[in-house]
């Protein structure tokens, strides 16, 4: 998304970032600041080849937050682990940062190893 022209904006509840090789559709919570508060978000990516992919992106701080809360409960062994089958942990919040990570994964060839491909049932 970083290379070439980038178009971004709201499309209903989705915040979409379109670039030359992909379109990332983020579903932030209502009222979240896109640049600083988005720390846990579902994202769908459509590549130019027509394939569609999904992932939930978390920041390190967002993973740590519930783990601290769980230390006081009996959930996930008192917060000793965090597990999600379709999760990608990033260092910094914000959809622009997350879009940059997606672009980097596409460019370095790791994207398809990390994101979950969606089955086209047309």
């Amino acid at each position: 998304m970083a290379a070439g022209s980038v178009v971004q904006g709201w499309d209903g509840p989705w915040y979409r970032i379109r670039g030359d090789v992909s379109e990332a559709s983020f579903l932030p919570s209502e009222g979240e600041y896109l640049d600083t508060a988005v720390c846990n978000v579902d994202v769908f990516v459509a590549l130019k080849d027509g394939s569609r992919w999904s992932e939930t992106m978390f920041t390190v701080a967002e993973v740590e937050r519930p783990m601290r809360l769980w230390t006081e409960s009996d959930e996930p062994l008192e917060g000793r682990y965090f597990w999600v089958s379709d999760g990608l942990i990033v260092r910094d919040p914000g959809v622009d940062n997350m879009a940059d990570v997606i672009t980097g994964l596409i460019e370095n060839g790791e994207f398809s190893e990390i994101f979950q491909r969606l089955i086209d049932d047309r």
Side-chain angles (χ1 to χ4, degrees):
M1 283 168 271
S5 63
V6 174
V7 176
Q8 55 189 74
W10 288 100
D11 180 8
W14 298 95
Y15 189 78
R16 301 190 196 275
I17 301 178
R18 292 180 185 97
D20 292 337
V21 297
S22 66
E23 174 182 300
S25 300
F26 295 87
L27 190 57
S29 296
E30 189 173 330
E32 276 187 306
Y33 292 107
L34 296 176
D35 57 347
T36 59
V38 176
C39 298
N40 176 351
V41 67
D42 291 326
V43 60
F44 295 89
V45 177
L47 298 180
K48 291 296 179 188
D49 67 5
S51 63
R52 296 177 308 128
W53 305 77
S54 72
E55 199 73 13
T56 301
M57 297 180 81
F58 301 91
T59 62
V60 173
E62 180 60 18
V63 170
E64 186 177 358
R65 184 188 61 76
M67 291 180 79
R68 262 189 267 128
L69 292 173
W70 294 335
T71 61
E72 304 296 321
S73 73
D74 60 356
E75 293 184 71
L77 297 176
E78 294 82 35
R80 295 188 332 216
Y81 72 92
F82 182 93
W83 182 86
V84 60
S85 64
D86 65 342
L88 173 61
I89 300 170
V90 297
R91 184 180 52 233
D92 301 313
V95 295
D96 286 336
N97 172 65
M98 292 176 181
D100 287 345
V101 169
I102 293 167
T103 299
L105 292 172
I106 292 169
E107 289 173 352
N108 73 13
E110 294 179 327
F111 178 83
S112 64
E113 297 172 23
I114 296 169
F115 273 68
Q116 307 297 308
R117 188 171 187 152
L118 300 173
I119 304 299
D120 189 358
D121 58 0
R122 287 186 251 170

